[in-house]
Amino acid sequence: MFDNFHGNETVARTLHAMTQQERIPQTILLDGPAGVGKATLARRFGAALLGDGGKIEQDDLSLEIHAATIAEREKWPSDKRNDDPLLFSTHPDFVTFPPDGPLRQITIEQMRLLKERAQFKPLQGKRRVFLIDQIDRANEQAANSLLKTLEEPPEHLILLLTAENPYDLLPTIRSRAVPFHLGPLSNAEMRTFVEARGLSDPERRIALAAGSPGLAVSMDLDIYDERRRAMLALLQVAAGRAPFGEWAKHAEAMAPRRQDKLDHFLGILYVLLEDVLLLREGAGEIRNIDIRRQLEDLAGNVSFQWIRSAVRKTDELAELVRRNIQKSIALDALVVELRRLAA
């Protein structure tokens, strides 16, 4: 088994067994929710094939140095990013292609570079391993460019793809990959992980992470609480439980903060709506236990149809995230429309 990997034991065992074989699928797709360990498992798999796992782990995108690089590139003009496609490769035969730019997409320039580098023979051993992290964030041109590599990959190349939703991929890409699904970790597995990492506020992190060790370890609870206050106010105003001025205060504070992206708020909004639905239907434990009273008030004053509409409208905004829509305008429109439905 792979060292220091938590959860999804069946998938991990299967992939580990593959590393002991001579023949390995040339394209492997790991799908599942954000933060469940897809890229981590891909790096462990690569390390088992290539050795020198310490170098491969230096490509972890959550490392502060890489997060800073990715954030800085968001400020670059598109032509500068196109001239210098983003990749990380501390190990000479393991290359990671992550999403790039303000829209966090896999670009055609990255996939052209992948195709070019795929032809190079391994510098050590007999294989090269390329990880495309979040391939479901590839634009159409990038996906079509990757497909050309998948159709005739060099014998020495192993391609590892990760995706939250495999059905966002071209069917022709899915058909050329051996798929493995990674699910959320159980509470017991999460507790083991959180204890092993010595994380603060363990029970709250377990509740909010919903089976995602990556989310549990990366979550800044102070920032989460600040963003949650804004989204709770949004729902209270949208449900007619607070005056519009309550939302306006939060909207004005959010607007100038470029580091607070729309998708950060939408992720929290989904969780709050899920909690409201669970409370309304009496269907299970909520994640935001510390604001249960406010959520119960919402649950007692909105209909199932209103919740469904709120989720659908949030889905529509999530689709617009990749178009770099202005967050304050998008959320203002959401409040107005849902408040009309609640009237």
Side-chain angles (χ1 to χ4, degrees), residues 274-284 299 302-305 307:
E274 180 184 13
D275 282 352
V276 171
L277 178 61
L278 289 172
L279 288 170
R280 188 185 184 281
E281 303 298 320
V302 295
S303 65
F304 175 81
Q305 186 60 42
I307 297 172

Side-chain angles (χ1 to χ4, degrees), residues 115-183:
K115 184 178 181 181
E116 175 186 314
R117 292 201 170 203
Q119 308 307 315
F120 300 158
K121 297 289 186 181
L123 294 177
Q124 303 171 1
K126 57 184 180 181
R127 292 190 178 96
R128 302 195 78 202
V129 179
F130 287 2
L131 166 61
I132 309 176
D133 199 7
Q134 301 178 60
I135 185 59
D136 47 342
R137 297 191 71 87
N139 59 38
E140 185 177 356
Q141 288 180 312
N144 285 324
S145 179
L146 171 63
L147 188 56
K148 295 176 183 177
T149 303
L150 295 181
E151 288 170 347
E152 295 183 16
E155 289 185 3
H156 59 263
L157 181 66
I158 304 294
L159 276 169
L160 304 177
L161 316 177
T162 74
E164 285 191 45
N165 184 1
Y167 296 101
D168 282 343
L169 306 180
L170 294 175
T172 43
I173 290 179
R174 292 202 310 271
S175 68
R176 286 171 168 79
V178 176
F180 293 93
H181 177 72
L182 279 69

Side-chain angles (χ1 to χ4, degrees), residues 73 76-86 100-101 105-113 139 141:
R73 287 177 64 95
W76 292 11
S78 58
D79 56 348
K80 183 177 179 181
R81 288 195 304 273
N82 293 343
D83 290 341
D84 183 18
L86 180 61
D100 190 24
Q105 290 187 322
I106 299 293
T107 67
I108 187 172
E109 288 77 19
Q110 288 175 297
M111 293 302 92
R112 286 172 175 165
L113 185 60
N139 59 38
Q141 288 180 312

